[in-house]
Amino acid sequence: MYLNINNDKIHSGEIDILGAKNSALGIIAASVILDGDITLYNIPDLYDIHVMIEALKQIGFNVFFKNNTLKITGEANNFILSNESLSSIRGSYYFYSSLLAKFFHVSSFLPGGCNLGARPINYHLEGFASLGCDYVIFDNHIEIITQELHPNDIHLPFPSVGATINLIILASTILGVTHIYNPALEPEVLDLINFLNHAGAKISIKENYIEIMGVTKLKGIKYKIIPDRIESGSYMLLALTKTFSSISLNNTNYKHLEEVIKTIKNIGGIVRLNKNKITVISPKKITPINITSGVYPKFPTDLIQILAAILSDSYYPSTITDTIFENRYSYLKELKKLNIDVKYNFPSYQVSSSHIFNSAKLICSDLRGAFSLFTSCFLTHGHFQIQNVDFIFRGYNSFLDNLKKMNVSFSLGCSTDNLLF
Ligand code: UD1
């Protein structure tokens, strides 16, 4: 699908932020190890979530999803996940730990997700192995099995979000004490811990490790997912473009966005905070900066591409470094179509522009890169086309409704009727 944007005015708007996709994925998978009915609120209505729901149904649960509320009843009766769509999303690997905890066995597809580089899962598998599991990988499948799970001290080589979540889920039902050293402490990890603790788990965060005291039973609960800080941050950055005056976000949490707010202020934007509402006001001109992404609480890798689009709109170069993923650059060749100058010095690059073109056809190839290209269409007035816009729909709830709320003129088409360009 493609999105034509006719950018002929100054935009502003107020939109609602939904629950964090990356929290929801872990928490939905972790629901497998709870006994009793579960209700999850603030769940975004996104492709990845629907894939997780189908998987829950396939292993025996009754699932009802309406108005961003997910009700899960029944219980899992098998450990084989044969739905191929699981290989199209990253979060499907959270079922590995929950099914292992429940059945001592899981058979599934390897995870997919955006192409940001190699994205191995060795930390997950080495962690599972140290808790007593064996695994075999063949074609696009994985089989993990254990005779007996036991607690252990796990040292993660890097604070991986996915590995931390998977190991917490598995360890939470292993009797004894497991420590995860060098864990990721992203808000989404803390949300999972909060969810499991509400259900009866005993998980605590120490100075440089997470301590998990395994329990025999976790009970069904009602739980509200935290707001999506990446969705929030994306729209906060969009507000900095020349053809936006401001954007207000409701139902968000500025405490998860401190580094993003600091960066926006450094660029020249104004940020107003009022309880659960954030308003960002566009600057008259962009102040160039040097920025490096890092693990939380540093600037998130998921927002670095969108920030790059903003920083492009300056004659003076900004230097951007992404230390987390080695291949988060494919969108840069698309930005060049707008006359944005990119100088590579991997893992850093510089962006600048003396004159941004007012027409271009931009092709998306990953979720956040897609939102970056979308953002670049607001750096100047003109007509733009975003191809493969479906990538954006995968991470941004009610995206087209939000465009309407921000008074953006657009039309949506499928690739075969692409007549504009
Ligand atoms: C999660 C998020 C993703 C976000 C990323 C970093 C989900 C579903 N996705 O991805 O949106 O961009 O955190 O905030 O929550 N690594 C290994 N071996 C492993 C695991 C990771 O080498 O077993 C490397 C990765 O290649 C990467 C780094 O560690 O270079 C961080 O990856 P990780 O934090 O695990 O990211 P994801 O959980 O895949």
Side-chain angles (χ1 to χ4, degrees):
M1 262 194 273
Y2 62 86
L3 183 75
N4 289 329
I5 296 170
N6 179 20
N7 180 2
D8 57 356
K9 47 180 140 12
I10 298 293
H11 306 90
S12 65
E14 182 161 334
I15 59 176
D16 298 329
I17 297 299
L18 259 141
K21 171 175 77 88
N22 289 345
S23 264
L25 295 171
I27 287 174
I28 289 171
S31 298
V32 170
I33 60 171
L34 272 49
D35 283 330
D37 297 353
I38 300 154
T39 306
L40 301 174
Y41 302 104
N42 209 22
I43 298 290
D45 193 350
L46 298 169
Y47 170 80
D48 293 33
I49 300 298
H50 286 276
V51 173
M52 298 294 279
I53 289 174
E54 283 314 305
L56 282 179
K57 287 180 182 167
Q58 199 197 347
I59 54 175
F61 286 98
N62 305 310
V63 189
F64 185 68
F65 185 38
K66 199 173 175 198
N67 297 333
N68 304 108
T69 298
L70 184 63
K71 292 191 174 160
I72 305 169
T73 59
E75 78 172 299
N77 54 31
N78 84 80
F79 55 80
I80 300 170
L81 289 167
S82 57
N83 194 339
E84 197 162 0
S85 55
L86 288 166
S87 67
S88 66
I89 68 167
R90 195 84 199 141
S92 58
Y93 56 20
Y94 295 134
F95 281 117
Y96 299 171
S97 50
S98 57
L99 288 173
L100 273 172
K102 185 99 184 161
F103 296 106
F104 282 28
H105 197 160
V106 58
S107 172
S108 182
F109 284 90
L110 288 171
C114 286
N115 179 11
L116 310 174
R119 302 191 84 177
I121 56 167
N122 53 322
Y123 306 156
H124 304 238
L125 298 178
E126 285 155 19
F128 289 155
S130 71
L131 297 175
C133 305
D134 290 315
Y135 59 88
V136 53
I137 293 175
F138 51 99
D139 302 328
N140 196 20
H141 287 80
I142 183 162
E143 187 115 12
I144 316 175
I145 195 158
T146 175
Q147 302 300 328
E148 191 181 14
L149 293 164
H150 54 75
N152 212 335
D153 285 355
I154 301 169
H155 295 259
L156 287 176
F158 183 88
S160 152
V161 174
T164 305
I165 288 179
N166 246 334
L167 295 171
I168 290 172
I169 295 172
L170 183 55
S172 60
T173 58
I174 302 176
L175 289 183
V177 183
T178 293
H179 294 131
I180 303 175
Y181 290 91
N182 196 26
L185 292 174
E186 259 70 1
E188 295 76 19
V189 177
L190 304 192
D191 205 24
L192 172 89
I193 292 175
N194 208 14
F195 167 77
L196 288 172
N197 281 343
H198 270 81
K202 292 191 175 141
I203 307 167
S204 48
I205 295 165
K206 309 289 184 186
E207 203 166 318
N208 64 340
Y209 62 91
I210 295 174
E211 182 172 276
I212 305 143
M213 295 170 72
V215 295
T216 45
K217 190 173 159 68
L218 295 167
K219 62 177 190 300
I221 53 165
K222 296 182 175 178
Y223 190 78
K224 186 175 175 190
I225 308 279
I226 56 166
D228 195 318
R229 67 193 166 103
I230 304 301
E231 184 190 21
S232 302
S234 303
Y235 288 109
M236 289 164 73
L237 293 171
L238 175 65
L240 303 177
T241 56
K242 247 192 213 107
T243 66
F244 263 89
S245 59
S246 68
I247 298 180
S248 291
L249 309 175
N250 295 317
N251 311 329
T252 185
N253 185 346
Y254 68 84
K255 289 187 186 136
H256 296 158
L257 287 155
E258 280 177 1
E259 194 60 29
V260 176
I261 291 170
K262 195 172 109 195
T263 304
I264 288 175
K265 288 180 177 170
N266 288 343
I267 293 170
I270 296 169
V271 183
R272 296 207 175 115
L273 308 175
N274 183 4
K275 294 185 187 148
N276 296 336
K277 181 170 180 166
I278 301 178
T279 301
V280 177
I281 299 164
S282 190
K284 290 212 165 44
K285 71 176 175 51
I286 296 295
T287 305
I289 55 166
N290 295 337
I291 183 121
T292 302
S293 68
V295 295
Y296 188 83
K298 292 189 181 145
F299 193 89
T301 172
D302 278 354
L303 292 177
I304 208 87
Q305 295 152 293
I306 305 163
L307 177 65
I310 299 300
L311 295 173
S312 305
D313 193 13
S314 168
Y315 176 77
Y316 299 101
S318 290
T319 303
I320 295 156
T321 309
D322 191 352
T323 56
I324 312 287
F325 290 109
E326 70 274 20
N327 193 23
R328 221 164 201 178
Y329 306 120
S330 53
Y331 74 109
L332 289 170
K333 72 177 190 313
E334 300 301 311
L335 286 185
K336 282 183 175 182
K337 293 180 182 169
L338 290 163
N339 198 34
I340 288 167
D341 191 26
V342 183
K343 288 195 175 60
Y344 299 92
N345 181 17
F346 294 117
S348 303
Y349 49 94
Q350 286 190 332
V351 289
S352 62
S353 182
S354 48
H355 169 68
I356 291 180
F357 291 161
N358 62 4
S359 175
K361 181 165 74 178
L362 306 169
I363 305 169
C364 306
S365 53
D366 67 274
L367 165 60
R368 307 302 170 187
F371 200 94
S372 167
L373 299 181
F374 165 74
T375 300
S376 70
C377 299
F378 296 89
L379 297 174
T380 187
H381 291 301
H383 298 274
F384 305 92
Q385 186 173 91
I386 312 276
Q387 294 203 340
N388 298 342
V389 68
D390 316 56
F391 277 109
I392 299 188
F393 302 152
R394 285 202 43 181
Y396 295 88
N397 200 84
S398 310
F399 177 67
L400 297 178
D401 287 342
N402 285 343
L403 295 196
K404 288 179 195 155
K405 286 181 184 167
M406 297 185 294
N407 209 12
V408 173
S409 306
F410 68 91
S411 63
L412 196 65
C414 41
S415 323
T416 47
D417 59 22
N418 178 0
L419 300 175
L420 181 66
F421 285 81

Coordinates of all heavy atoms in Angstrom, one line a residue, residues 249-323:
L249 N -0.2 14.9 23.1 CA -0.4 13.5 23.3 C -1.1 13.3 24.6 O -0.7 13.8 25.7 CB 0.9 12.7 23.3 CG 1.9 13.0 22.2 CD1 3.2 12.3 22.4 CD2 1.3 12.6 20.9
N250 N -2.2 12.5 24.6 CA -2.9 12.1 25.8 C -2.5 10.7 26.2 O -2.1 9.9 25.4 CB -4.4 12.2 25.6 CG -4.9 13.6 25.4 OD1 -4.4 14.6 26.0 ND2 -5.7 13.8 24.4
N251 N -2.7 10.4 27.5 CA -2.5 9.0 28.0 C -1.1 8.6 27.8 O -0.8 7.4 27.4 CB -3.4 8.0 27.4 CG -4.9 8.4 27.4 OD1 -5.3 9.1 28.3 ND2 -5.6 8.0 26.4
T252 N -0.1 9.4 28.1 CA 1.3 9.0 27.9 C 2.0 9.2 29.3 O 1.4 9.6 30.3 CB 1.9 9.8 26.8 OG1 3.2 9.3 26.6 CG2 2.0 11.3 27.0
N253 N 3.3 8.8 29.3 CA 4.0 8.9 30.5 C 5.4 9.5 30.3 O 6.3 8.9 29.8 CB 4.2 7.5 31.1 CG 4.8 7.5 32.5 OD1 5.4 8.5 32.9 ND2 4.8 6.4 33.2
Y254 N 5.5 10.8 30.7 CA 6.7 11.5 30.4 C 7.9 11.0 31.1 O 9.1 11.2 30.7 CB 6.5 13.0 30.6 CG 6.4 13.4 32.0 CD1 7.5 13.6 32.9 CD2 5.1 13.6 32.6 CE1 7.3 13.9 34.2 CE2 4.9 13.9 33.9 CZ 6.1 14.1 34.7 OH 5.9 14.4 36.0
K255 N 7.7 10.3 32.2 CA 8.8 9.7 33.0 C 9.6 8.7 32.2 O 10.8 8.5 32.4 CB 8.3 9.1 34.3 CG 7.9 10.1 35.2 CD 7.5 9.5 36.6 CE 6.9 10.5 37.5 NZ 5.8 10.1 38.2
H256 N 9.0 8.1 31.2 CA 9.7 7.1 30.3 C 10.4 7.8 29.2 O 11.0 7.1 28.3 CB 8.7 6.1 29.7 CG 8.0 5.2 30.8 ND1 6.9 4.6 30.6 CD2 8.4 4.9 32.1 CE1 6.5 3.9 31.7 NE2 7.5 4.1 32.6
L257 N 10.3 9.1 29.1 CA 10.7 9.8 27.9 C 11.7 10.9 28.3 O 11.8 11.9 27.5 CB 9.5 10.4 27.2 CG 8.6 9.4 26.4 CD1 7.2 9.8 26.3 CD2 9.3 9.1 25.1
E258 N 12.3 10.8 29.4 CA 13.2 11.9 29.9 C 14.3 12.3 28.9 O 14.5 13.5 28.6 CB 13.7 11.6 31.3 CG 12.7 11.9 32.3 CD 13.1 11.6 33.7 OE1 14.2 11.1 33.9 OE2 12.2 11.7 34.6
E259 N 15.0 11.3 28.3 CA 16.1 11.6 27.4 C 15.5 12.1 26.1 O 16.2 13.0 25.5 CB 16.9 10.3 27.2 CG 18.2 10.4 26.5 CD 19.2 11.3 27.3 OE1 19.1 11.4 28.6 OE2 20.0 12.0 26.7
V260 N 14.4 11.7 25.7 CA 13.8 12.2 24.5 C 13.4 13.7 24.6 O 13.7 14.5 23.8 CB 12.5 11.3 24.1 CG1 11.8 11.9 22.8 CG2 13.0 9.9 23.8
I261 N 12.8 14.0 25.8 CA 12.4 15.4 26.1 C 13.7 16.3 26.1 O 13.7 17.4 25.5 CB 11.6 15.4 27.4 CG1 10.3 14.7 27.2 CG2 11.5 16.9 27.9 CD1 9.5 14.5 28.5
K262 N 14.7 15.8 26.8 CA 16.0 16.6 26.8 C 16.5 16.8 25.4 O 16.9 17.9 25.1 CB 17.0 15.8 27.7 CG 18.2 16.6 28.1 CD 19.0 15.8 29.1 CE 20.3 15.4 28.4 NZ 21.1 14.3 29.1
T263 N 16.5 15.8 24.6 CA 17.0 15.9 23.2 C 16.1 16.9 22.4 O 16.7 17.8 21.7 CB 17.0 14.5 22.5 OG1 17.7 13.6 23.3 CG2 17.6 14.6 21.1
I264 N 14.8 16.8 22.6 CA 13.9 17.8 21.8 C 14.2 19.2 22.3 O 14.3 20.1 21.4 CB 12.4 17.4 22.1 CG1 12.1 16.1 21.4 CG2 11.5 18.5 21.7 CD1 10.7 15.5 21.6
K265 N 14.5 19.4 23.5 CA 14.8 20.8 24.0 C 16.2 21.2 23.4 O 16.3 22.4 23.1 CB 14.8 20.8 25.5 CG 13.4 20.7 26.1 CD 13.5 20.7 27.7 CE 12.1 20.7 28.3 NZ 12.1 20.5 29.7
N266 N 17.1 20.3 23.4 CA 18.4 20.6 22.8 C 18.3 21.0 21.3 O 19.1 21.9 20.9 CB 19.4 19.5 22.9 CG 19.9 19.2 24.3 OD1 19.7 20.1 25.2 ND2 20.4 18.0 24.6
I267 N 17.4 20.4 20.6 CA 17.2 20.8 19.2 C 16.5 22.1 19.1 O 16.6 22.7 18.0 CB 16.3 19.7 18.6 CG1 17.1 18.3 18.5 CG2 15.9 20.0 17.1 CD1 16.2 17.2 18.1
G268 N 15.8 22.6 20.1 CA 15.1 23.8 20.0 C 13.6 23.8 20.2 O 12.9 24.8 20.3
G269 N 13.1 22.5 20.4 CA 11.6 22.4 20.6 C 11.2 22.7 22.0 O 12.1 22.8 22.9
I270 N 9.9 23.0 22.2 CA 9.4 23.3 23.5 C 8.5 22.2 23.9 O 7.7 21.7 23.1 CB 8.6 24.6 23.5 CG1 9.5 25.8 23.1 CG2 7.9 24.9 24.8 CD1 8.8 27.1 22.8
V271 N 8.7 21.7 25.2 CA 7.9 20.6 25.7 C 7.1 21.1 26.9 O 7.7 21.6 27.8 CB 8.8 19.4 26.1 CG1 8.0 18.2 26.5 CG2 9.7 19.0 24.9
R272 N 5.8 20.8 26.9 CA 5.0 21.1 28.1 C 4.4 19.9 28.6 O 3.9 19.0 27.9 CB 3.9 22.1 27.7 CG 4.4 23.4 27.2 CD 3.4 24.6 27.4 NE 4.1 25.8 27.0 CZ 3.7 26.6 26.0 NH1 2.7 26.3 25.3 NH2 4.4 27.7 25.8
L273 N 4.5 19.7 29.9 CA 4.0 18.5 30.6 C 2.9 18.8 31.5 O 3.0 19.8 32.3 CB 5.2 17.8 31.4 CG 6.5 17.6 30.6 CD1 7.6 17.1 31.6 CD2 6.3 16.6 29.5
N274 N 1.8 18.0 31.4 CA 0.7 18.2 32.3 C 0.1 16.9 32.6 O -0.7 16.3 31.9 CB -0.3 19.2 31.6 CG -1.5 19.5 32.5 OD1 -1.5 19.1 33.7 ND2 -2.4 20.2 32.0
K275 N 0.4 16.3 33.8 CA 0.0 15.0 34.2 C 0.3 14.0 33.1 O 1.4 13.8 32.8 CB -1.5 15.0 34.6 CG -1.8 15.8 35.8 CD -3.2 15.7 36.2 CE -3.5 16.7 37.3 NZ -4.8 17.2 37.3
N276 N -0.8 13.4 32.5 CA -0.5 12.4 31.4 C -0.5 12.9 30.0 O -0.6 12.2 29.1 CB -1.6 11.3 31.5 CG -1.6 10.5 32.8 OD1 -0.5 10.5 33.5 ND2 -2.7 10.0 33.2
K277 N -0.3 14.2 29.9 CA -0.4 14.9 28.6 C 1.0 15.5 28.3 O 1.6 16.2 29.2 CB -1.5 15.9 28.6 CG -1.7 16.6 27.3 CD -2.9 17.5 27.4 CE -3.2 18.2 26.1 NZ -4.6 18.7 26.1
I278 N 1.5 15.3 27.1 CA 2.7 16.0 26.7 C 2.4 16.8 25.4 O 1.7 16.3 24.5 CB 3.8 15.0 26.3 CG1 4.1 14.1 27.4 CG2 5.0 15.7 25.7 CD1 5.2 13.0 27.1
T279 N 2.8 18.1 25.4 CA 2.6 18.9 24.2 C 4.0 19.3 23.7 O 4.9 19.8 24.5 CB 1.8 20.2 24.5 OG1 0.5 19.8 25.0 CG2 1.6 21.0 23.3
V280 N 4.3 19.1 22.4 CA 5.6 19.6 21.8 C 5.3 20.7 20.8 O 4.4 20.5 20.0 CB 6.3 18.4 21.2 CG1 7.6 18.8 20.5 CG2 6.6 17.3 22.2
I281 N 6.0 21.8 21.0 CA 5.9 22.9 20.1 C 7.1 23.0 19.2 O 8.2 22.9 19.7 CB 5.6 24.2 20.9 CG1 4.3 24.0 21.7 CG2 5.5 25.4 20.0 CD1 4.2 25.0 22.8
S282 N 6.8 23.2 17.9 CA 7.9 23.1 16.9 C 8.9 24.3 17.1 O 8.4 25.4 17.3 CB 7.3 23.2 15.5 OG 8.2 22.9 14.5
P283 N 10.2 24.1 16.9 CA 11.1 25.3 16.9 C 11.1 26.1 15.6 O 10.7 25.5 14.6 CB 12.4 24.6 17.1 CG 12.3 23.3 16.5 CD 10.9 22.9 16.6
K284 N 11.6 27.3 15.6 CA 11.7 28.1 14.4 C 12.8 27.5 13.5 O 12.6 27.4 12.3 CB 12.1 29.5 14.7 CG 10.9 30.3 15.3 CD 10.9 31.7 15.0 CE 9.6 32.4 15.3 NZ 9.0 32.1 16.6
K285 N 13.9 27.0 14.1 CA 14.9 26.3 13.3 C 15.5 25.2 14.2 O 15.5 25.3 15.4 CB 15.9 27.2 12.7 CG 16.9 27.9 13.7 CD 17.9 28.7 12.8 CE 18.8 29.5 13.6 NZ 19.6 28.9 14.6
I286 N 16.0 24.2 13.5 CA 16.6 23.0 14.2 C 18.1 23.3 14.6 O 18.9 23.8 13.8 CB 16.6 21.8 13.3 CG1 15.2 21.4 12.9 CG2 17.4 20.6 13.8 CD1 14.3 20.9 14.1
T287 N 18.4 23.1 15.9 CA 19.8 23.2 16.3 C 20.5 21.8 16.1 O 20.0 20.8 16.7 CB 19.8 23.6 17.8 OG1 19.1 24.8 18.0 CG2 21.3 23.8 18.3
P288 N 21.5 21.8 15.4 CA 22.2 20.4 15.2 C 22.8 19.9 16.5 O 23.2 20.7 17.3 CB 23.3 20.7 14.2 CG 23.2 22.1 13.8 CD 22.3 22.8 14.7
I289 N 22.8 18.6 16.6 CA 23.3 17.9 17.8 C 24.1 16.7 17.4 O 24.0 16.2 16.3 CB 22.2 17.5 18.8 CG1 21.2 16.6 18.1 CG2 21.6 18.7 19.5 CD1 20.3 15.9 19.1
N290 N 24.9 16.2 18.3 CA 25.5 14.8 18.2 C 24.7 13.9 19.1 O 24.6 14.3 20.3 CB 27.0 14.9 18.5 CG 27.7 15.7 17.6 OD1 27.3 16.0 16.4 ND2 28.9 16.2 18.0
I291 N 24.3 12.8 18.6 CA 23.5 11.9 19.5 C 23.9 10.4 19.3 O 24.1 10.0 18.1 CB 22.0 12.2 19.3 CG1 21.2 11.3 20.3 CG2 21.5 11.9 17.9 CD1 20.3 12.1 21.1
T292 N 23.8 9.7 20.4 CA 24.1 8.2 20.3 C 23.0 7.5 21.0 O 22.6 7.8 22.1 CB 25.5 7.9 21.0 OG1 26.5 8.7 20.4 CG2 25.8 6.5 20.9
S293 N 22.5 6.5 20.3 CA 21.4 5.7 21.0 C 22.0 4.7 22.0 O 23.2 4.4 21.9 CB 20.6 4.9 19.9 OG 21.4 3.9 19.4
G294 N 21.2 4.3 22.9 CA 21.8 3.3 23.9 C 20.6 2.6 24.6 O 19.5 2.9 24.4
V295 N 21.0 1.8 25.5 CA 20.0 1.1 26.3 C 19.3 2.1 27.3 O 20.0 3.0 27.7 CB 20.5 -0.2 27.0 CG1 21.0 -1.2 26.1 CG2 21.6 0.2 28.0
Y296 N 18.1 1.8 27.6 CA 17.4 2.7 28.5 C 18.2 3.0 29.8 O 18.8 2.1 30.3 CB 16.0 2.1 28.9 CG 15.1 3.0 29.7 CD1 14.3 3.9 29.0 CD2 15.0 2.9 31.1 CE1 13.4 4.7 29.7 CE2 14.2 3.7 31.8 CZ 13.4 4.6 31.1 OH 12.6 5.4 31.8
P297 N 18.3 4.2 30.3 CA 17.5 5.4 29.9 C 18.1 6.3 28.9 O 17.7 7.4 28.7 CB 17.4 6.2 31.3 CG 18.7 5.8 31.9 CD 19.1 4.5 31.5
K298 N 19.1 5.8 28.1 CA 19.6 6.6 27.0 C 18.6 6.8 25.9 O 17.5 6.1 25.9 CB 20.9 5.9 26.5 CG 22.0 6.0 27.6 CD 23.3 5.6 27.0 CE 24.4 5.6 28.1 NZ 25.4 4.5 27.9
F299 N 19.0 7.5 24.9 CA 18.1 7.8 23.7 C 17.8 6.4 23.0 O 18.7 5.7 22.6 CB 18.7 8.8 22.8 CG 17.6 9.3 21.8 CD1 16.9 10.4 22.1 CD2 17.4 8.7 20.6 CE1 15.9 10.9 21.2 CE2 16.4 9.1 19.7 CZ 15.7 10.3 20.0
P300 N 16.5 6.1 22.8 CA 16.1 4.8 22.3 C 16.5 4.6 20.8 O 16.3 5.5 20.0 CB 14.6 4.7 22.5 CG 14.1 6.0 22.8 CD 15.3 6.9 23.2
T301 N 17.1 3.4 20.5 CA 17.4 3.1 19.1 C 16.1 3.2 18.2 O 16.2 3.6 17.1 CB 18.0 1.7 19.0 OG1 18.1 1.3 17.7 CG2 17.2 0.6 19.8
D302 N 15.0 2.9 18.8 CA 13.7 2.9 18.0 C 13.3 4.3 17.6 O 12.4 4.4 16.7 CB 12.6 2.2 18.8 CG 12.6 0.7 18.7 OD1 13.4 0.2 18.0 OD2 11.8 0.1 19.4
L303 N 13.9 5.3 18.1 CA 13.6 6.7 17.7 C 14.7 7.4 16.9 O 14.5 8.5 16.5 CB 13.2 7.5 18.9 CG 11.9 7.1 19.6 CD1 11.7 8.0 20.9 CD2 10.7 7.3 18.7
I304 N 15.8 6.7 16.8 CA 17.0 7.4 16.2 C 16.7 7.7 14.7 O 17.2 8.8 14.2 CB 18.3 6.5 16.4 CG1 19.5 7.4 16.5 CG2 18.5 5.5 15.4 CD1 19.8 8.0 17.8
Q305 N 16.0 6.9 14.0 CA 15.8 7.1 12.6 C 14.8 8.4 12.4 O 15.0 9.2 11.5 CB 15.2 5.9 11.9 CG 16.1 4.7 11.8 CD 15.3 3.4 11.8 OE1 14.6 3.1 12.7 NE2 15.3 2.7 10.7
I306 N 13.9 8.4 13.3 CA 12.9 9.5 13.2 C 13.6 10.8 13.6 O 13.4 11.9 12.9 CB 11.7 9.2 14.1 CG1 11.1 7.9 13.7 CG2 10.6 10.3 14.0 CD1 10.2 7.3 14.7
L307 N 14.5 10.8 14.6 CA 15.3 11.9 15.0 C 16.1 12.4 13.8 O 16.3 13.6 13.5 CB 16.1 11.6 16.2 CG 17.0 12.7 16.7 CD1 16.2 13.9 17.2 CD2 18.0 12.2 17.8
A308 N 16.7 11.4 13.1 CA 17.6 11.8 11.9 C 16.8 12.6 10.9 O 17.4 13.5 10.3 CB 18.1 10.5 11.3
A309 N 15.6 12.2 10.7 CA 14.8 13.0 9.7 C 14.7 14.5 10.1 O 14.8 15.4 9.3 CB 13.4 12.4 9.5
I310 N 14.5 14.7 11.4 CA 14.3 16.0 12.0 C 15.7 16.8 11.8 O 15.7 17.9 11.4 CB 13.9 16.0 13.5 CG1 12.6 15.3 13.6 CG2 13.9 17.4 14.1 CD1 11.4 15.9 12.9
L311 N 16.8 16.1 12.2 CA 18.1 16.8 12.2 C 18.5 17.1 10.8 O 19.4 17.9 10.6 CB 19.1 15.9 12.9 CG 18.8 15.7 14.4 CD1 19.8 14.7 15.0 CD2 18.9 17.0 15.2
S312 N 18.0 16.4 9.8 CA 18.3 16.6 8.4 C 18.0 18.1 8.0 O 18.6 18.6 7.0 CB 17.5 15.8 7.4 OG 17.6 14.4 7.8
D313 N 17.0 18.7 8.6 CA 16.5 20.0 8.2 C 17.4 21.1 8.7 O 16.9 22.1 9.3 CB 15.1 20.1 8.7 CG 14.4 21.3 8.0 OD1 14.9 21.8 7.0 OD2 13.3 21.7 8.5
S314 N 18.7 21.0 8.5 CA 19.6 22.0 9.0 C 20.8 22.1 8.0 O 21.3 21.0 7.6 CB 20.1 21.8 10.4 OG 21.1 22.6 10.7
Y315 N 21.3 23.2 7.7 CA 22.4 23.4 6.9 C 23.7 22.8 7.6 O 24.6 22.3 6.9 CB 22.7 24.9 6.6 CG 23.9 25.2 5.8 CD1 23.9 25.0 4.4 CD2 25.0 25.7 6.4 CE1 25.0 25.3 3.7 CE2 26.2 26.0 5.7 CZ 26.2 25.7 4.3 OH 27.3 26.0 3.6
Y316 N 23.7 22.8 8.9 CA 24.8 22.3 9.7 C 24.6 20.9 10.0 O 23.5 20.5 10.5 CB 25.1 23.2 10.9 CG 25.4 24.6 10.6 CD1 24.4 25.6 10.6 CD2 26.6 25.0 10.1 CE1 24.6 26.9 10.3 CE2 26.9 26.3 9.7 CZ 25.9 27.2 9.8 OH 26.2 28.5 9.5
P317 N 25.6 20.0 9.8 CA 25.3 18.6 10.1 C 25.2 18.2 11.5 O 25.8 18.8 12.4 CB 26.6 17.9 9.5 CG 27.6 19.0 9.4 CD 26.9 20.3 9.3
S318 N 24.4 17.2 11.8 CA 24.3 16.5 13.1 C 24.9 15.1 12.9 O 24.8 14.5 11.8 CB 22.8 16.3 13.5 OG 22.2 17.5 13.8
T319 N 25.5 14.6 14.0 CA 26.1 13.3 13.9 C 25.3 12.3 14.8 O 24.9 12.6 15.9 CB 27.6 13.3 14.5 OG1 28.3 14.2 13.7 CG2 28.2 11.9 14.3
I320 N 24.9 11.2 14.1 CA 24.0 10.2 14.8 C 24.8 8.9 14.8 O 25.4 8.5 13.8 CB 22.8 10.1 13.9 CG1 22.0 11.4 14.0 CG2 21.9 8.9 14.4 CD1 21.1 11.6 12.8
T321 N 24.7 8.2 16.0 CA 25.3 6.9 16.1 C 24.3 5.9 16.7 O 23.7 6.2 17.8 CB 26.6 7.0 17.1 OG1 27.4 8.1 16.6 CG2 27.4 5.7 17.1
D322 N 24.1 4.8 16.1 CA 23.3 3.8 16.6 C 24.1 2.6 17.0 O 24.7 1.9 16.2 CB 22.2 3.3 15.6 CG 21.1 2.4 16.2 OD1 21.3 2.0 17.4 OD2 20.1 2.1 15.6
T323 N 24.2 2.4 18.3 CA 25.1 1.3 18.8 C 24.4 0.0 19.0 O 25.0 -1.0 19.3 CB 25.7 1.7 20.2 OG1 24.6 2.0 21.1 CG2 26.6 2.9 20.1

